[in-house]
Amino acid sequence: MGDDPRFKKPLHVGSPNVGNREEFLSRVEDILDRNWLTNNGPVVQEFENKIAEHLGVKHCIAMCNGTVALEIAIRALDLKGEVIVPSFTFVATAHSLQWQEIKPVFCDIDRETYCLDPSELEKHITSRTTAILGVHLFGRPCDINTLNDLSRKHQLKLLFDASHAFGCTYQGQLVGNFGECEVFSFHATKLLNTLEGGAIVTNNDSLAKKVRLMKNFGFDGLDHVVYIGSNGKMNEVNAAMGLTNMDRLDSFVETNVRNYKKYSEALKEIPGIELITYDQKELNNYHYIVIEVDEGMTGVSRDLLVDILRAENVLARRYFYPGCHRMEPYKTFYPTAGGLLPHTHQICRKIMVLPTGSQVAKDDIDKICSIIRGVVADSKEILRLQRERSKQ
Ligand code: T4K
């Protein structure tokens, strides 16, 4: 295996999907000819319209990245005090709150969906709670209806970090249409990439207007500032990459589905390895190949398996280990936050994400799965021998 030339070039999780190179370069040529590079240029406007139309949402405000988009959404919604979030997410979700001195209150996740567990949520609500920030992790949407009911009951704002869920539906409607607003990341590693980028999408006219001002320093016309603002603008080249990739979106998803089926077939016979499933009644982008490793059954820990794959040039990831509450500054600020997160702890220890996307060939998947199969078989044999020996 170590000599296989294909593995000289590592297989990454997060390898970018890039559409037609010529189309992208021609768009960049146009941008340079026009000499309009940023500040709400025509390519950004076209990209925003395309995303809004695709999602069936009234407003899309493109941003420089998902983290700044989250920060601006939180600011525009006037959130304060405490906001309930999962700990099991990329740390940017928590940072976007703490950055503005809002306390992220970590709530446990549902064992099946890995999203906020609504039945755990009410125990975290205090007089200081202003919102619920759900994350549609790995493209599997939160229990949006129940979160909606809870937010209404307790008069909280509800918004979503939809970074992983572009092209996914909840009860037949595309993610992007829920809560006060939803935030996408278009980072290079996402299904739809603009190199770096993100967006706030919303059906709320006044929120959209505020967000537009806030991402441009609060300028409402020349020399006239109405809010404290930041610089969250997407530039023209990022939008050109976004438009180019939107043209290939269907083929990216088709490849992901094909890869998912291949993994599913190749992994199904391996005891203790379980590939997460996606609801067949909904659309999903299948952008994440996530497996749970049951150490009791495989005889090998998730971490050892990650290391072995790495030694074979397969760069699997332990997303989102160890959970935000065990990272700084959260573990210092909120040392008891882990007390109510049993599912978070369990899932953090078990899961890993495997490479997929348009850079991953069918043969690569066979190789990756055969490494996993081999490791599990070997460790079972070692365990058997150890047991036999201890009986002697
Ligand atoms: N909320 C959620 C739930 C998120 O997942 C994210 C981002 C955000 C919010 C914030 O959105 P942004 O502000 O980023 O737009 C990566 C990404 O940088 C990050 O965007 C993403 N989540 C997170 C899940 O993954 P790292 O620290 O793991 O990045 P890194 O450099 O280790 O790269 C990840 C993998 O991708 C590696 O295997 C290498 C591969 N890769 C990466 C890049 C940039 C490539 O093959 N080519 C590339 O160009 O965070």
Side-chain angles (χ1 to χ4, degrees), residues 188-242:
T189 54
K190 297 293 185 274
L191 172 78
L192 174 67
N193 102 71
T194 60
L195 307 169
E196 287 274 3
I200 297 174
V201 295
T202 180
N203 287 310
N204 178 329
D205 297 340
S206 59
L207 179 65
K209 188 168 176 224
K210 196 168 175 186
V211 162
R212 273 197 189 286
L213 295 168
M214 281 187 160
K215 66 116 201 225
N216 186 31
F217 316 102
F219 272 112
D220 184 14
L222 289 179
D223 312 325
H224 185 54
V225 170
V226 291
Y227 289 117
I228 180 166
S230 185
N231 182 355
K233 290 169 280 136
M234 178 180 273
N235 71 54
E236 292 286 275
V237 174
N238 290 143
M241 181 56 119

Tab-separated table of all heavy atoms in Angstrom, residues 188-242:
chain	number	residue	atom	x	y	z
A	188	ALA	N	-13.265	27.273	0.765
A	188	ALA	CA	-12.741	26.330	-0.241
A	188	ALA	C	-13.155	24.885	0.001
A	188	ALA	O	-13.302	24.107	-0.943
A	188	ALA	CB	-11.220	26.432	-0.265
A	189	THR	N	-13.346	24.524	1.260
A	189	THR	CA	-13.642	23.127	1.593
A	189	THR	C	-15.132	22.782	1.519
A	189	THR	O	-15.497	21.629	1.740
A	189	THR	CB	-13.159	22.836	3.026
A	189	THR	OG1	-13.762	23.816	3.895
A	189	THR	CG2	-11.662	22.935	3.154
A	190	LYS	N	-15.960	23.772	1.231
A	190	LYS	CA	-17.409	23.530	1.263
A	190	LYS	C	-17.925	23.054	-0.102
A	190	LYS	O	-17.248	23.196	-1.117
A	190	LYS	CB	-18.134	24.823	1.669
A	190	LYS	CG	-17.772	25.297	3.072
A	190	LYS	CD	-18.282	24.331	4.125
A	190	LYS	CE	-18.056	24.803	5.537
A	190	LYS	NZ	-16.746	24.474	6.087
A	191	LEU	N	-19.158	22.531	-0.097
A	191	LEU	CA	-19.742	22.061	-1.367
A	191	LEU	C	-19.628	23.148	-2.428
A	191	LEU	O	-19.176	22.917	-3.540
A	191	LEU	CB	-21.225	21.702	-1.169
A	191	LEU	CG	-21.952	21.390	-2.471
A	191	LEU	CD1	-21.625	19.982	-2.947
A	191	LEU	CD2	-23.455	21.579	-2.329
A	192	LEU	N	-20.092	24.335	-2.069
A	192	LEU	CA	-19.997	25.473	-2.986
A	192	LEU	C	-18.904	26.377	-2.456
A	192	LEU	O	-19.032	26.915	-1.346
A	192	LEU	CB	-21.330	26.228	-3.021
A	192	LEU	CG	-21.297	27.524	-3.828
A	192	LEU	CD1	-21.088	27.244	-5.313
A	192	LEU	CD2	-22.575	28.327	-3.624
A	193	ASN	N	-17.840	26.551	-3.231
A	193	ASN	CA	-16.732	27.351	-2.702
A	193	ASN	C	-16.497	28.596	-3.536
A	193	ASN	O	-16.622	28.600	-4.758
A	193	ASN	CB	-15.490	26.461	-2.556
A	193	ASN	CG	-14.454	26.631	-3.635
A	193	ASN	OD1	-13.774	27.661	-3.681
A	193	ASN	ND2	-14.319	25.653	-4.501
A	194	THR	N	-16.191	29.678	-2.805
A	194	THR	CA	-15.811	30.941	-3.449
A	194	THR	C	-14.366	31.275	-3.034
A	194	THR	O	-14.035	32.432	-2.837
A	194	THR	CB	-16.756	32.086	-3.011
A	194	THR	OG1	-16.669	32.239	-1.594
A	194	THR	CG2	-18.209	31.842	-3.389
A	195	LEU	N	-13.533	30.279	-2.831
A	195	LEU	CA	-12.184	30.398	-2.250
A	195	LEU	C	-12.344	30.648	-0.756
A	195	LEU	O	-12.175	29.757	0.047
A	195	LEU	CB	-11.358	31.493	-2.918
A	195	LEU	CG	-11.256	31.416	-4.457
A	195	LEU	CD1	-10.640	32.687	-5.024
A	195	LEU	CD2	-10.458	30.205	-4.894
A	196	GLU	N	-12.632	31.873	-0.384
A	196	GLU	CA	-13.144	32.237	0.944
A	196	GLU	C	-14.480	32.912	0.669
A	196	GLU	O	-14.628	33.594	-0.350
A	196	GLU	CB	-12.238	33.249	1.651
A	196	GLU	CG	-10.924	32.716	2.160
A	196	GLU	CD	-11.009	32.104	3.554
A	196	GLU	OE1	-12.100	32.020	4.137
A	196	GLU	OE2	-9.944	31.688	4.048
A	197	GLY	N	-15.414	32.778	1.591
A	197	GLY	CA	-16.680	33.489	1.376
A	197	GLY	C	-17.769	32.970	2.280
A	197	GLY	O	-17.615	31.942	2.957
A	198	GLY	N	-18.859	33.688	2.287
A	198	GLY	CA	-20.008	33.293	3.076
A	198	GLY	C	-21.184	34.163	2.699
A	198	GLY	O	-21.065	35.027	1.817
A	199	ALA	N	-22.311	33.931	3.348
A	199	ALA	CA	-23.485	34.759	3.054
A	199	ALA	C	-24.481	34.656	4.200
A	199	ALA	O	-24.545	33.629	4.885
A	199	ALA	CB	-24.150	34.314	1.766
A	200	ILE	N	-25.230	35.742	4.358
A	200	ILE	CA	-26.418	35.705	5.210
A	200	ILE	C	-27.608	35.681	4.271
A	200	ILE	O	-27.680	36.496	3.340
A	200	ILE	CB	-26.489	36.955	6.116
A	200	ILE	CG1	-25.285	36.987	7.063
A	200	ILE	CG2	-27.798	36.982	6.902
A	200	ILE	CD1	-25.183	38.257	7.908
A	201	VAL	N	-28.521	34.742	4.483
A	201	VAL	CA	-29.739	34.724	3.670
A	201	VAL	C	-30.939	34.867	4.604
A	201	VAL	O	-30.940	34.329	5.712
A	201	VAL	CB	-29.848	33.441	2.808
A	201	VAL	CG1	-28.746	33.381	1.772
A	201	VAL	CG2	-29.842	32.189	3.642
A	202	THR	N	-31.926	35.616	4.137
A	202	THR	CA	-33.076	35.898	5.004
A	202	THR	C	-34.276	36.332	4.162
A	202	THR	O	-34.119	36.852	3.051
A	202	THR	CB	-32.733	36.992	6.048
A	202	THR	OG1	-33.874	37.233	6.876
A	202	THR	CG2	-32.310	38.303	5.402
A	203	ASN	N	-35.459	36.115	4.728
A	203	ASN	CA	-36.680	36.640	4.098
A	203	ASN	C	-37.139	37.915	4.793
A	203	ASN	O	-38.212	38.436	4.482
A	203	ASN	CB	-37.787	35.570	4.163
A	203	ASN	CG	-37.510	34.441	3.175
A	203	ASN	OD1	-37.246	34.691	2.001
A	203	ASN	ND2	-37.532	33.211	3.658
A	204	ASN	N	-36.340	38.397	5.737
A	204	ASN	CA	-36.710	39.566	6.538
A	204	ASN	C	-36.086	40.826	5.904
A	204	ASN	O	-34.861	41.014	5.929
A	204	ASN	CB	-36.186	39.308	7.961
A	204	ASN	CG	-36.453	40.449	8.906
A	204	ASN	OD1	-36.498	41.612	8.511
A	204	ASN	ND2	-36.610	40.109	10.178
A	205	ASP	N	-36.943	41.705	5.348
A	205	ASP	CA	-36.446	42.879	4.601
A	205	ASP	C	-35.608	43.806	5.478
A	205	ASP	O	-34.544	44.276	5.065
A	205	ASP	CB	-37.620	43.696	4.026
A	205	ASP	CG	-38.424	42.894	3.019
A	205	ASP	OD1	-37.889	41.896	2.499
A	205	ASP	OD2	-39.592	43.257	2.776
A	206	SER	N	-36.099	44.092	6.688
A	206	SER	CA	-35.366	45.081	7.493
A	206	SER	C	-34.034	44.509	7.980
A	206	SER	O	-33.025	45.220	8.033
A	206	SER	CB	-36.221	45.605	8.649
A	206	SER	OG	-36.590	44.536	9.460
A	207	LEU	N	-34.029	43.209	8.285
A	207	LEU	CA	-32.762	42.589	8.703
A	207	LEU	C	-31.767	42.628	7.541
A	207	LEU	O	-30.577	42.954	7.733
A	207	LEU	CB	-33.004	41.146	9.165
A	207	LEU	CG	-31.763	40.377	9.603
A	207	LEU	CD1	-31.141	40.993	10.856
A	207	LEU	CD2	-32.074	38.898	9.864
A	208	ALA	N	-32.243	42.323	6.350
A	208	ALA	CA	-31.357	42.321	5.169
A	208	ALA	C	-30.752	43.710	4.972
A	208	ALA	O	-29.555	43.847	4.688
A	208	ALA	CB	-32.140	41.889	3.937
A	209	LYS	N	-31.584	44.724	5.151
A	209	LYS	CA	-31.093	46.092	4.941
A	209	LYS	C	-29.990	46.424	5.964
A	209	LYS	O	-28.928	46.957	5.627
A	209	LYS	CB	-32.283	47.059	5.086
A	209	LYS	CG	-31.945	48.461	4.719
A	209	LYS	CD	-33.177	49.335	4.580
A	209	LYS	CE	-32.718	50.753	4.297
A	209	LYS	NZ	-33.433	51.741	5.066
A	210	LYS	N	-30.263	46.028	7.199
A	210	LYS	CA	-29.295	46.311	8.268
A	210	LYS	C	-27.971	45.580	8.024
A	210	LYS	O	-26.881	46.157	8.179
A	210	LYS	CB	-29.920	45.865	9.601
A	210	LYS	CG	-29.261	46.398	10.831
A	210	LYS	CD	-30.151	46.127	12.030
A	210	LYS	CE	-29.482	46.543	13.318
A	210	LYS	NZ	-30.267	46.161	14.499
A	211	VAL	N	-28.089	44.320	7.622
A	211	VAL	CA	-26.896	43.511	7.374
A	211	VAL	C	-26.063	44.118	6.233
A	211	VAL	O	-24.833	44.189	6.309
A	211	VAL	CB	-27.319	42.057	7.049
A	211	VAL	CG1	-26.198	41.293	6.372
A	211	VAL	CG2	-27.766	41.331	8.312
A	212	ARG	N	-26.759	44.571	5.192
A	212	ARG	CA	-26.046	45.198	4.060
A	212	ARG	C	-25.249	46.421	4.513
A	212	ARG	O	-24.127	46.652	4.066
A	212	ARG	CB	-27.032	45.647	2.981
A	212	ARG	CG	-27.331	44.578	2.014
A	212	ARG	CD	-27.965	45.053	0.729
A	212	ARG	NE	-28.390	43.867	0.007
A	212	ARG	CZ	-27.563	43.038	-0.613
A	212	ARG	NH1	-26.274	43.297	-0.671
A	212	ARG	NH2	-28.010	41.964	-1.197
A	213	LEU	N	-25.853	47.195	5.398
A	213	LEU	CA	-25.141	48.370	5.897
A	213	LEU	C	-23.971	47.956	6.779
A	213	LEU	O	-22.859	48.481	6.660
A	213	LEU	CB	-26.100	49.259	6.697
A	213	LEU	CG	-27.243	49.902	5.895
A	213	LEU	CD1	-28.268	50.509	6.831
A	213	LEU	CD2	-26.685	50.968	4.962
A	214	MET	N	-24.233	46.995	7.638
A	214	MET	CA	-23.200	46.599	8.614
A	214	MET	C	-21.983	45.959	7.971
A	214	MET	O	-20.884	46.038	8.514
A	214	MET	CB	-23.793	45.622	9.628
A	214	MET	CG	-24.605	46.310	10.683
A	214	MET	SD	-25.073	45.111	11.933
A	214	MET	CE	-25.457	46.217	13.279
A	215	LYS	N	-22.192	45.276	6.848
A	215	LYS	CA	-21.023	44.631	6.221
A	215	LYS	C	-20.200	45.651	5.419
A	215	LYS	O	-19.156	45.314	4.875
A	215	LYS	CB	-21.427	43.437	5.349
A	215	LYS	CG	-22.248	43.756	4.121
A	215	LYS	CD	-21.550	43.423	2.850
A	215	LYS	CE	-22.165	44.222	1.738
A	215	LYS	NZ	-22.481	43.642	0.539
A	216	ASN	N	-20.684	46.890	5.344
A	216	ASN	CA	-19.959	47.937	4.623
A	216	ASN	C	-19.759	49.150	5.542
A	216	ASN	O	-20.142	50.262	5.195
A	216	ASN	CB	-20.729	48.303	3.350
A	216	ASN	CG	-19.974	49.285	2.476
A	216	ASN	OD1	-18.741	49.288	2.457
A	216	ASN	ND2	-20.699	50.139	1.772
A	217	PHE	N	-19.229	48.898	6.722
A	217	PHE	CA	-18.866	49.932	7.710
A	217	PHE	C	-20.064	50.753	8.201
A	217	PHE	O	-19.882	51.785	8.836
A	217	PHE	CB	-17.830	50.923	7.130
A	217	PHE	CG	-16.710	50.286	6.364
A	217	PHE	CD1	-16.707	50.276	4.976
A	217	PHE	CD2	-15.659	49.678	7.034
A	217	PHE	CE1	-15.675	49.685	4.271
A	217	PHE	CE2	-14.629	49.084	6.331
A	217	PHE	CZ	-14.626	49.076	4.945
A	218	GLY	N	-21.288	50.340	7.849
A	218	GLY	CA	-22.470	51.125	8.232
A	218	GLY	C	-22.774	52.273	7.293
A	218	GLY	O	-23.629	53.114	7.587
A	219	PHE	N	-22.105	52.304	6.126
A	219	PHE	CA	-22.345	53.406	5.174
A	219	PHE	C	-23.716	53.294	4.519
A	219	PHE	O	-24.059	52.274	3.921
A	219	PHE	CB	-21.296	53.391	4.048
A	219	PHE	CG	-20.062	54.171	4.370
A	219	PHE	CD1	-18.852	53.534	4.568
A	219	PHE	CD2	-20.118	55.566	4.476
A	219	PHE	CE1	-17.708	54.257	4.880
A	219	PHE	CE2	-18.962	56.286	4.771
A	219	PHE	CZ	-17.751	55.632	4.981
A	220	ASP	N	-24.490	54.341	4.622
A	220	ASP	CA	-25.763	54.433	3.917
A	220	ASP	C	-25.641	55.625	2.967
A	220	ASP	O	-26.117	56.724	3.248
A	220	ASP	CB	-26.891	54.648	4.941
A	220	ASP	CG	-28.255	54.657	4.282
A	220	ASP	OD1	-28.364	54.251	3.125
A	220	ASP	OD2	-29.223	55.084	4.949
A	221	GLY	N	-24.948	55.465	1.882
A	221	GLY	CA	-24.653	56.581	0.974
A	221	GLY	C	-23.296	57.163	1.294
A	221	GLY	O	-22.697	56.850	2.340
A	222	LEU	N	-22.832	58.003	0.412
A	222	LEU	CA	-21.501	58.592	0.583
A	222	LEU	C	-21.439	59.432	1.854
A	222	LEU	O	-22.356	60.194	2.134
A	222	LEU	CB	-21.170	59.493	-0.613
A	222	LEU	CG	-20.899	58.821	-1.959
A	222	LEU	CD1	-20.613	59.877	-3.018
A	222	LEU	CD2	-19.742	57.825	-1.865
A	223	ASP	N	-20.381	59.268	2.614
A	223	ASP	CA	-20.114	60.105	3.794
A	223	ASP	C	-21.185	60.020	4.882
A	223	ASP	O	-21.294	60.908	5.721
A	223	ASP	CB	-19.964	61.598	3.402
A	223	ASP	CG	-19.038	61.791	2.223
A	223	ASP	OD1	-18.065	61.020	2.127
A	223	ASP	OD2	-19.297	62.687	1.402
A	224	HIS	N	-22.040	58.982	4.821
A	224	HIS	CA	-23.141	58.935	5.784
A	224	HIS	C	-23.171	57.560	6.442
A	224	HIS	O	-23.507	56.552	5.800
A	224	HIS	CB	-24.452	59.203	5.035
A	224	HIS	CG	-25.635	59.302	5.941
A	224	HIS	ND1	-25.685	60.157	7.013
A	224	HIS	CD2	-26.826	58.657	5.925
A	224	HIS	CE1	-26.845	60.020	7.621
A	224	HIS	NE2	-27.553	59.120	6.983
A	225	VAL	N	-22.790	57.536	7.744
A	225	VAL	CA	-22.733	56.255	8.455
A	225	VAL	C	-23.873	56.189	9.462
A	225	VAL	O	-24.082	57.124	10.231
A	225	VAL	CB	-21.360	56.099	9.153
A	225	VAL	CG1	-21.357	54.909	10.094
A	225	VAL	CG2	-20.258	55.923	8.108
A	226	VAL	N	-24.625	55.049	9.440
A	226	VAL	CA	-25.792	54.945	10.328
A	226	VAL	C	-25.659	53.891	11.416
A	226	VAL	O	-26.442	53.886	12.367
A	226	VAL	CB	-27.080	54.692	9.516
A	226	VAL	CG1	-27.442	55.912	8.696
A	226	VAL	CG2	-26.949	53.474	8.621
A	227	TYR	N	-24.745	52.947	11.259
A	227	TYR	CA	-24.514	51.928	12.289
A	227	TYR	C	-23.027	51.770	12.490
A	227	TYR	O	-22.244	52.080	11.584
A	227	TYR	CB	-24.976	50.540	11.809
A	227	TYR	CG	-26.453	50.346	11.695
A	227	TYR	CD1	-27.024	50.079	10.457
A	227	TYR	CD2	-27.268	50.385	12.820
A	227	TYR	CE1	-28.373	49.859	10.340
A	227	TYR	CE2	-28.616	50.179	12.705
A	227	TYR	CZ	-29.168	49.917	11.462
A	227	TYR	OH	-30.494	49.709	11.355
A	228	ILE	N	-22.679	51.140	13.633
A	228	ILE	CA	-21.317	50.624	13.700
A	228	ILE	C	-21.270	49.443	12.725
A	228	ILE	O	-22.186	48.626	12.684
A	228	ILE	CB	-20.920	50.208	15.131
A	228	ILE	CG1	-19.483	49.686	15.126
A	228	ILE	CG2	-21.846	49.157	15.722
A	228	ILE	CD1	-18.876	49.562	16.506
A	229	GLY	N	-20.255	49.421	11.909
A	229	GLY	CA	-20.185	48.351	10.920
A	229	GLY	C	-18.815	47.736	10.875
A	229	GLY	O	-17.896	48.129	11.602
A	230	SER	N	-18.689	46.752	10.014
A	230	SER	CA	-17.407	46.091	9.831
A	230	SER	C	-17.132	46.034	8.327
A	230	SER	O	-17.877	46.622	7.536
A	230	SER	CB	-17.486	44.682	10.427
A	230	SER	OG	-16.224	44.069	10.366
A	231	ASN	N	-16.070	45.327	7.974
A	231	ASN	CA	-15.848	45.102	6.553
A	231	ASN	C	-16.073	43.628	6.276
A	231	ASN	O	-15.192	42.807	6.514
A	231	ASN	CB	-14.430	45.528	6.157
A	231	ASN	CG	-14.195	45.337	4.669
A	231	ASN	OD1	-15.047	44.803	3.959
A	231	ASN	ND2	-13.052	45.776	4.193
A	232	GLY	N	-17.260	43.318	5.822
A	232	GLY	CA	-17.608	41.910	5.548
A	232	GLY	C	-17.790	41.645	4.073
A	232	GLY	O	-18.350	40.618	3.698
A	233	LYS	N	-17.312	42.546	3.222
A	233	LYS	CA	-17.641	42.459	1.792
A	233	LYS	C	-16.955	41.284	1.095
A	233	LYS	O	-15.779	41.023	1.332
A	233	LYS	CB	-17.216	43.753	1.081
A	233	LYS	CG	-18.065	44.954	1.438
A	233	LYS	CD	-17.439	46.234	0.927
A	233	LYS	CE	-16.334	46.697	1.846
A	233	LYS	NZ	-15.144	47.146	1.202
A	234	MET	N	-17.709	40.661	0.207
A	234	MET	CA	-17.092	39.685	-0.701
A	234	MET	C	-16.502	40.454	-1.882
A	234	MET	O	-17.069	41.470	-2.309
A	234	MET	CB	-18.149	38.698	-1.210
A	234	MET	CG	-17.614	37.682	-2.199
A	234	MET	SD	-18.871	36.517	-2.780
A	234	MET	CE	-18.775	35.276	-1.507
A	235	ASN	N	-15.371	39.981	-2.404
A	235	ASN	CA	-14.817	40.676	-3.574
A	235	ASN	C	-15.232	39.989	-4.877
A	235	ASN	O	-15.818	38.898	-4.870
A	235	ASN	CB	-13.303	40.845	-3.446
A	235	ASN	CG	-12.569	39.533	-3.598
A	235	ASN	OD1	-12.747	38.826	-4.593
A	235	ASN	ND2	-11.754	39.185	-2.605
A	236	GLU	N	-14.921	40.610	-5.987
A	236	GLU	CA	-15.408	40.152	-7.286
A	236	GLU	C	-14.835	38.784	-7.704
A	236	GLU	O	-15.527	37.981	-8.317
A	236	GLU	CB	-15.060	41.200	-8.361
A	236	GLU	CG	-15.830	42.507	-8.213
A	236	GLU	CD	-17.288	42.381	-8.627
A	236	GLU	OE1	-17.589	42.518	-9.822
A	236	GLU	OE2	-18.132	42.142	-7.733
A	237	VAL	N	-13.574	38.553	-7.369
A	237	VAL	CA	-12.964	37.275	-7.783
A	237	VAL	C	-13.602	36.118	-7.015
A	237	VAL	O	-13.863	35.039	-7.586
A	237	VAL	CB	-11.423	37.315	-7.586
A	237	VAL	CG1	-10.810	35.951	-7.874
A	237	VAL	CG2	-10.806	38.372	-8.500
A	238	ASN	N	-13.876	36.339	-5.744
A	238	ASN	CA	-14.568	35.302	-4.961
A	238	ASN	C	-15.930	34.986	-5.579
A	238	ASN	O	-16.317	33.813	-5.716
A	238	ASN	CB	-14.756	35.744	-3.501
A	238	ASN	CG	-13.455	35.784	-2.729
A	238	ASN	OD1	-13.245	36.650	-1.900
A	238	ASN	ND2	-12.570	34.854	-3.000
A	239	ALA	N	-16.641	36.045	-5.945
A	239	ALA	CA	-17.973	35.835	-6.539
A	239	ALA	C	-17.864	35.129	-7.887
A	239	ALA	O	-18.710	34.301	-8.245
A	239	ALA	CB	-18.689	37.175	-6.683
A	240	ALA	N	-16.789	35.439	-8.649
A	240	ALA	CA	-16.580	34.769	-9.944
A	240	ALA	C	-16.388	33.268	-9.732
A	240	ALA	O	-16.921	32.442	-10.484
A	240	ALA	CB	-15.360	35.365	-10.644
A	241	MET	N	-15.636	32.912	-8.700
A	241	MET	CA	-15.459	31.490	-8.387
A	241	MET	C	-16.804	30.883	-7.986
A	241	MET	O	-17.149	29.760	-8.389
A	241	MET	CB	-14.440	31.355	-7.244
A	241	MET	CG	-14.153	29.940	-6.836
A	241	MET	SD	-13.594	28.916	-8.210
A	241	MET	CE	-11.990	28.440	-7.677
A	242	GLY	N	-17.586	31.636	-7.231
A	242	GLY	CA	-18.904	31.146	-6.796
A	242	GLY	C	-19.828	30.892	-7.978
A	242	GLY	O	-20.489	29.849	-8.053
